[in-house]
Amino acid sequence: MQPVIVDIYAAQAATGIKAGALRVRLHRGTLTHHGHDHRGRTLVDLAELQPAPVTEAA
């Protein structure tokens, strides 16, 4: 599978996982850091992330 490299804000929009939570995962080593883009934004592989579960209201 080809990696889909995006910044953490695009990853947040695609998965629903907050950017701060992604930074914590990067710091803990549970998410691979793929460098920075030309604006200094952290890059991650979208394929490593699972979308946030959607909970239904009771």
Side-chain angles (χ1 to χ4, degrees):
M1 183 173 191
Q2 187 109 6
V4 179
I5 307 298
V6 297
D7 66 77
I8 59 174
Y9 300 105
Q12 175 182 348
T15 63
I17 302 170
K18 293 183 179 183
L22 294 173
R23 283 189 206 94
V24 168
R25 289 180 60 184
L26 285 165
H27 180 73
R28 291 180 180 169
T30 60
L31 184 61
T32 306
H33 184 266
H34 290 277
H36 295 89
D37 66 3
H38 65 283
R39 292 188 176 175
R41 295 177 292 211
T42 302
L43 300 174
V44 296
D45 183 3
L46 196 57
E48 288 186 46
L49 303 173
Q50 297 293 328
V54 176
T55 56
E56 295 181 19

